[in-house]
Amino acid sequence: MSQGRPLIAGLELGGTKCIAILARGPDEIEDRVTIPTTRPEETLGAVEAVLDRWSGFSALGIASFGPVSIDRHAADYGHITSTPKPGWANQDVARRLARHVGVPTGFHTDVVGAALAEARWGAAKGLADIAYATVGTGIGVGLIAGGLPVDGLTHSEFGHIRPVRASGDDWIGVCPYHGACLEGLAAGPAIQARTGIPGPDLPADHPAWDLVADALGQLLHTLVLTGVPRRIVMGGGVMVGTDHLFPKVRAAMTRSLAGYVALAEVGDAETFVVPPALGGNAGPLGAIVLGAQALGAELSTAFTSS
């Protein structure tokens, strides 16, 4: 079944819980453990205890909540940086766990992890160039090109772009940094703050959904203009289970682009903008891909330098 695939340890480090899996892929998960995210020492100590129980894995992948430092040349590489989560700001995650296990270790954001998994095994299977947008408590995007994360100085922060406001809408938004940025207008807390009703309970015909869709359509417009994604997968608590929102968001993207990108892939909005296929396994499986990529990079470096 494994067809020579390496055994990888993967960790999705979330704001409320961590999921650790030992796997070769979605069809061969040997173990899965859930750990509450509490204080860093308690949580990371529990993760290390799980890793100590496992044997035979060749690499470790970590898909973490952020912001995180992904620049391998930076002094704080592998750290969670400016998170408001108590105790976790400037916390070393990747280097600590890499030292503990002594195997090649990949590290990135949880949304990039989900993007890698959906591209490898899920809703964008077979496509090397995709975007994964999560719309939930916050809004984030993972961009994948050529099967690898699109990296540079840091990871993308598309949740904080400033969309053009709908006519007559002057609501101030809830982002503590930007007020009415995308996250401040269309994430779960913004929907509840604007309407007084949690998103899952908001009627499908409530006018706030049109404002949310308009903002998210502009996010998709922006992602199309990067020239990267051949498909956009949209997940997170606001999108998943809110079936009426997908048609509105697709239509908003099409209106916003106004025919500028005349490509068949983008023109077929129903197949270009899709829900995820891996559910709660996207993040942990993305960590498996990160670990496999770290192992592949080390083997490649060793081969070319020998």
Side-chain angles (χ1 to χ4, degrees):
M1 181 182 290
S2 65
Q3 298 178 334
R5 291 179 297 177
L7 185 63
I8 307 292
L11 174 67
E12 181 188 23
L13 178 55
T16 58
K17 65 180 179 181
C18 305
I19 300 175
I21 65 171
L22 183 65
R24 301 179 191 275
D27 57 346
E28 202 168 346
I29 297 174
E30 296 194 0
D31 198 8
R32 177 185 171 107
V33 180
T34 301
I35 299 164
T37 304
T38 55
R39 295 178 294 104
E41 194 56 45
E42 183 177 30
T43 301
L44 295 176
V47 169
E48 288 169 342
V50 170
L51 294 171
D52 288 342
R53 294 204 310 266
W54 293 343
S55 63
F57 57 89
S58 302
L60 169 67
I62 305 164
S64 175
F65 73 90
V68 297
S69 174
I70 61 168
D71 182 355
R72 288 186 172 271
H73 302 292
D76 66 349
Y77 166 74
H79 286 57
I80 295 171
T81 57
S82 58
T83 179
K85 187 168 178 62
W88 285 88
N90 304 311
Q91 177 65 47
D92 179 15
V93 173
R95 282 180 167 149
R96 169 178 170 161
L97 294 179
R99 287 192 300 269
H100 188 83
V101 296
V103 297
T105 299
F107 177 72
H108 220 295
T109 63
D110 48 2
V111 68
V112 162
L116 287 167
E118 290 288 347
R120 181 73 64 89
W121 296 298
K125 183 178 180 180
L127 298 177
D129 314 303
I130 78 153
Y132 181 96
T134 183
V135 186
T137 304
I139 294 177
V141 173
L143 272 178
I144 306 300
L148 297 171
V150 178
D151 287 345
L153 175 65
T154 186
H155 52 82
S156 66
E157 287 284 3
F158 283 99
H160 294 273
I161 63 174
R162 295 180 181 271
V164 177
R165 303 299 298 276
S167 177
D169 181 26
D170 58 1
W171 185 59
I172 61 172
V174 299
C175 176
Y177 294 95
H178 314 117
C181 65
L182 185 68
E183 189 169 289
L185 292 172
I191 295 169
Q192 182 163 355
R194 184 195 282 267
T195 65
I197 304 171
D201 300 326
L202 193 66
D205 60 355
H206 195 289
W209 286 121
D210 291 330
L211 298 173
V212 169
D214 182 71
L216 293 175
Q218 293 182 64
L219 167 64
L220 303 190
H221 173 141
T222 303
L223 294 177
V224 169
L225 295 187
T226 67
V228 172
R230 300 175 185 274
R231 183 169 297 159
I232 299 174
V233 182
M234 297 191 76
V238 171
M239 298 300 305
V240 175
T242 314
D243 295 340
H244 65 84
L245 187 54
F246 269 93
K248 290 178 182 289
V249 171
R250 293 180 183 118
M253 176 195 73
T254 301
R255 286 195 307 271
S256 185
L257 285 168
Y260 180 68
V261 179
L263 294 172
E265 293 89 343
V266 179
D268 187 356
E270 287 195 16
T271 59
F272 185 69
V273 180
V274 299
L278 296 175
N281 273 338
L285 286 171
I288 297 297
V289 180
L290 288 167
Q293 290 183 344
L295 178 62
E298 179 164 292
L299 291 175
S300 175
T301 300
F303 179 78
T304 55
S305 61
S306 61

